[in-house]
Amino acid sequence: MVYQNIIVEIRGKVGLVTLNRPQALNALNEALIAELNDALGSFESNPEIGCTVITGSEKAFAAGADVKEMAEKTYVESYLGRFLDGWTRIAETRKPVIAAVSGFCLGGGLELAMMCDFIIASETARFALPEITLGIMPGAGGTQRLPRYIGKAKAMDLILTGRMMDAVEAERCGLVARLVAPDRLLDEALAAASKIAAYSQPIVMMAKETVNRAQETSLAEGARFERRLFLSMFSTEDQKEGMKAFIEKRKPAFRNR
Ligand code: HXC
């Protein structure tokens, strides 16, 4: 696929996707979402890649779904055309994905960032779900994921008022995992991604899957799921290697087996 709305690079074991529609502050149109899915799919099937970073520009991670593309849509068209199906596939990525956010991260942009496993933000980042101002509500998981990240009270505040939240507030309330100076953003995200990519890939993927279970199920069910996957890890060569390397006081050489 030829990419026109994103830039795709490989940095060591990390896949890097830069959203690239500067003329529209990276508004997410259907073509961009299809390209993003294609890039994530190629990283998923590439055994050399262990983690992905999605970033935008200094001014905008993404200012939302593309309002100009959506404005005239009808219900039947959207239904028959499976509008938003592509967004759901992003959330189903099995290898970890980090969002590196600078500037505006609004509407569908924030929904995309929340589909990633965690957000590293520049001090310039600004977050909102402003859909209410357009006569709609969030439609790509925002009403479900935001309360899980930051609790009901603050999620209601943001979704019902559409107000913007700065990076300090976003970090304080748990939306953002790490806050960094603007010129450190990409380095910090790539360093975190490289660190993850150096671990055992199947173990990392199982850890991601298990943490995500916590959002979807009861504590008892989640703990049972964790126990099953935890015990299964003792069938991997990487568990043997990781623990042996610790005992022998050397760095482990994981082989993704
Ligand atoms: C389409 C957009 C856009 C968007 C900005 N642009 N956001 N185009 N969809 N979401 C375009 C503008 O129309 C403009 O194009 C250019 O990008 C620059 O934007 P300006 O508004 O001139 O920049 P600025 O004055 O700096 O204001 C920045 C801004 C504002 C505060 C971020 O652009 C804004 O409010 N954008 C919309 C934010 C929003 O409502 N997002 C939610 C979308 S709904 P021209 O051609 O005029 O230069 C959504 C629903 C998701 O995301 C649910 C399902 C996926």
Side-chain angles (χ1 to χ4, degrees), residues 154-175:
K154 227 173 175 60
M156 278 291 189
D157 172 9
L158 286 164
I159 290 169
L160 297 184
T161 68
R163 79 172 171 91
M164 226 162 308
M165 174 160 81
D166 66 24
V168 171
E169 185 182 358
E171 198 229 0
R172 199 174 58 223
C173 69
L175 178 61

Side-chain angles (χ1 to χ4, degrees), residues 21-28 59-60 62-70 83-84 87 104-111 126 128-134 136-141 164:
R21 294 189 73 212
Q23 73 286 3
L25 300 180
N26 292 334
L28 303 165
K59 181 159 186 201
D66 191 319
V67 178
K68 292 166 190 166
E69 188 178 70
M70 269 186 306
F83 179 44
L84 296 180
W87 292 70
F104 295 114
C105 183
L106 312 178
L110 175 51
E111 293 179 295
R126 306 190 70 192
L129 289 177
E131 285 87 344
I132 202 87
T133 68
L134 298 168
I136 54 169
M137 68 176 187
M164 226 162 308

Side-chain angles (χ1 to χ4, degrees), residues 44 87-95 115 145 208:
E44 287 277 271
W87 292 70
T88 310
R89 284 203 305 279
I90 294 166
E92 288 165 359
T93 305
R94 294 172 76 205
K95 290 180 186 172
M115 285 178 197
R145 287 197 179 90
K208 165 172 172 162

Side-chain angles (χ1 to χ4, degrees), residues 100-237:
V101 174
S102 176
F104 295 114
C105 183
L106 312 178
L110 175 51
E111 293 179 295
L112 170 62
M114 289 192 292
M115 285 178 197
C116 298
D117 298 306
F118 59 94
I119 300 173
I120 299 181
S122 143
E123 287 153 355
T124 64
R126 306 190 70 192
F127 300 89
L129 289 177
E131 285 87 344
I132 202 87
T133 68
L134 298 168
I136 54 169
M137 68 176 187
T143 61
Q144 304 305 301
R145 287 197 179 90
L146 192 62
R148 284 169 167 81
Y149 272 90
I150 68 175
K152 179 184 163 184
K154 227 173 175 60
M156 278 291 189
D157 172 9
L158 286 164
I159 290 169
L160 297 184
T161 68
R163 79 172 171 91
M164 226 162 308
M165 174 160 81
D166 66 24
V168 171
E169 185 182 358
E171 198 229 0
R172 199 174 58 223
C173 69
L175 178 61
V176 163
R178 302 186 199 177
L179 197 53
V180 297
D183 60 347
R184 290 276 316 135
L185 178 66
L186 194 57
D187 285 348
E188 183 89 7
L190 288 172
S194 301
K195 187 167 198 174
I196 293 167
Y199 296 130
S200 164
Q201 228 175 79
I203 302 296
V204 163
M205 289 164 73
M206 285 187 221
K208 165 172 172 162
E209 189 182 355
T210 308
V211 174
N212 280 336
R213 263 309 152 102
Q215 310 283 332
E216 293 165 8
T217 191
S218 69
L219 177 59
E221 273 308 316
R224 267 192 285 275
F225 185 81
E226 180 195 72
R227 180 66 50 88
R228 287 269 77 80
L229 284 192
F230 178 77
L231 296 182
S232 78
M233 288 171 183
F234 287 82
S235 70
T236 65
E237 290 178 19

Side-chain angles (χ1 to χ4, degrees), residues 3-7 18-32 35 56-69 104:
Y3 299 130
Q4 288 175 333
N5 301 285
I6 59 174
I7 298 166
T18 306
L19 308 177
N20 188 36
R21 294 189 73 212
Q23 73 286 3
L25 300 180
N26 292 334
L28 303 165
N29 60 9
E30 292 192 55
L32 187 154
E35 290 177 18
S57 67
E58 210 179 313
K59 181 159 186 201
F61 177 76
D66 191 319
V67 178
K68 292 166 190 166
E69 188 178 70
F104 295 114

